Amino acid sequence: MTAGTGTAAEHARVGDQLETCEKVVYQRALAEREFSAESIHNDDYTRRQGYPGALVSAYVLCGYMTEPLVRFFGSSWFTSGEISLRFIGTGVQQHDSVRCGGSVREIVPDSDHLHRRVLLDIWIEKANGLRPVVGTASAIVPGSPGQPVSSTGSGHPGLAPPESAK
Amino acid sequence: MSKLIPFDAIIIGTELGPVETLVSPQRVQEYCQDWDDANPWYLGDSPFGRPVAPPAFLAGLTSFQLLGSRYDAWSTIGVQTYHRNLRPIPVGETLVTRGRIADKYVKRGLEYVVVSSTTYASDGMPCRESTDHILLSLERVQQ
């Protein structure tokens, strides 16, 4: 990870995959607190409502998703990062194994035409292949959209290695 | 329908907060442990010249704190979230978040409220803008 030069985002091309990040979900409040009988964070209640168990809070999952984005965008994420997430289906439960991933959807010029905004589709995937969290993320990086790049991403922290290197 | 937050009583435009949060090294360390995120920028040196809070530190949670300043928000859950980072948050900073109820709606019998907020550093400059769609309860409205 570097401060402003050489981030994966600066070398990204449409279709590049975000370096994935694997987690075992843990929310401290679910481990330490008792929740009321009609709380979304109460196991018995959510099971009666058709969920596998108490729902982990959105802010926890948002935190997981930002880790690979910080790796990808570097310091730009802190000054221009935008993230939009939807939490769908039966949610995520405590101790689920999840994988945060994404791919570059679009690279567009920023308003000053000296920078570009790199836009990704992002998701969190459970071990069963379901994606209870989907959305988009973007941040501004130096350079114009048409600027040639020297690499497809190999060797840049934050990008998944190309297939040939796996 | 939510028994804790009466949907009909929610007024769009209602101001929420402010909520004050100290970004202490202890809380950041706790974040790094809970999220299993060992990025050295959060506890050591960073490109910004000092440790900075993880970008998602309290993101989303502040909307619940804001809603919780008026209602019992423990039974709610976020279904959609948007955050825009404007500048890094130094560790040690005291943040102030102000928000408002931007919208409310019923979808497939479930009640939602939308909370928009801005988080400010102690110098008054904004460092994050957020919008959260919050499901009030899993109980459906009687048709």
Side-chain angles (χ1 to χ4, degrees):
Chain A
M1 207 158 28
T2 56
T5 58
T7 61
E10 289 171 50
H11 299 269
R13 290 178 173 177
V14 172
D16 280 351
Q17 300 291 304
L18 198 63
E19 186 183 333
T20 58
C21 165
E22 296 187 5
K23 298 287 179 183
V24 176
V25 173
Y26 173 76
Q27 182 173 356
R28 183 179 291 262
L30 292 184
E32 295 182 351
R33 281 187 63 109
E34 291 280 330
F35 289 91
S36 66
E38 291 184 358
S39 170
I40 279 160
H41 302 306
N42 180 301
D43 263 325
D44 292 335
Y45 174 68
T46 45
R47 285 191 183 120
R48 283 201 304 276
Q49 298 289 332
Y51 293 82
L55 294 168
V56 167
S57 294
Y59 76 94
V60 175
L61 303 170
C62 186
Y64 289 140
M65 195 63 246
T66 57
E67 185 179 330
L69 293 170
V70 170
R71 269 206 307 270
F72 181 76
F73 284 109
S75 58
S76 295
W77 183 253
F78 293 76
T79 53
S80 67
E82 294 185 37
I83 185 168
S84 178
L85 294 173
R86 288 188 301 124
F87 306 90
I88 55 180
T90 54
V92 176
Q93 281 68 41
Q94 186 89 311
H95 306 309
D96 275 350
S97 293
V98 296
R99 196 160 55 100
C100 305
S103 66
V104 178
R105 183 209 289 184
E106 194 177 13
I107 302 172
V108 296
D110 196 42
S111 53
D112 65 2
H113 292 278
L114 297 173
H115 297 81
R116 46 198 173 147
R117 185 167 278 276
V118 179
L119 177 76
L120 297 98
D121 292 309
I122 54 174
W123 57 81
I124 294 180
E125 190 171 273
K126 293 171 86 163
N128 59 11
L130 293 176
R131 292 181 174 176
V133 184
V134 294
T136 58
S138 71
I140 293 171
V141 298
S144 60
Q147 138 183 340
V149 290
S150 59
S151 163
T152 56
S154 173
H156 292 285
L159 273 182
E163 284 303 316
S164 58
K166 285 182 180 172
Chain B
M1 63 192 294
S2 173
K3 292 171 185 162
L4 298 173
I5 304 179
F7 188 74
D8 291 341
I10 295 172
I11 298 169
I12 295 169
T14 301
E15 300 289 328
L16 300 172
V19 170
E20 198 168 283
T21 310
L22 172 63
V23 187
S24 67
Q26 292 76 17
R27 292 188 81 175
V28 171
Q29 189 155 24
E30 199 172 272
Y31 178 101
C32 293
Q33 287 169 356
D34 287 359
W35 273 259
D36 189 24
D37 186 351
N39 190 322
W41 293 1
Y42 305 149
L43 295 168
D45 196 17
S46 79
F48 304 103
R50 55 189 293 192
V52 291
F57 184 80
L58 291 180
L61 192 58
T62 48
S63 290
F64 292 91
Q65 290 173 325
L66 288 169
L67 195 61
S69 67
R70 276 189 178 257
Y71 305 102
D72 182 344
W74 277 106
S75 295
T76 66
I77 192 156
V79 295
Q80 198 172 323
T81 191
Y82 166 81
H83 303 288
R84 179 179 172 219
N85 299 326
L86 302 173
R87 62 179 188 150
I89 299 168
V91 175
E93 185 67 80
T94 297
L95 304 175
V96 175
T97 303
R98 299 175 191 278
R100 60 188 281 274
I101 293 176
D103 198 6
K104 68 173 186 177
Y105 59 92
V106 177
K107 189 175 175 183
R108 297 192 191 104
L110 295 171
E111 298 167 332
Y112 299 85
V113 64
V114 181
V115 174
S116 295
S117 63
T118 304
T119 298
Y120 300 88
S122 54
D123 61 3
M125 295 293 287
C127 39
R128 182 167 58 215
E129 293 173 346
S130 303
T131 302
D132 288 278
H133 294 236
I134 299 169
L135 172 61
L136 299 184
S137 165
L138 295 177
E139 305 291 332
R140 292 182 190 276
V141 178
Q142 302 288 330
Q143 296 294 331

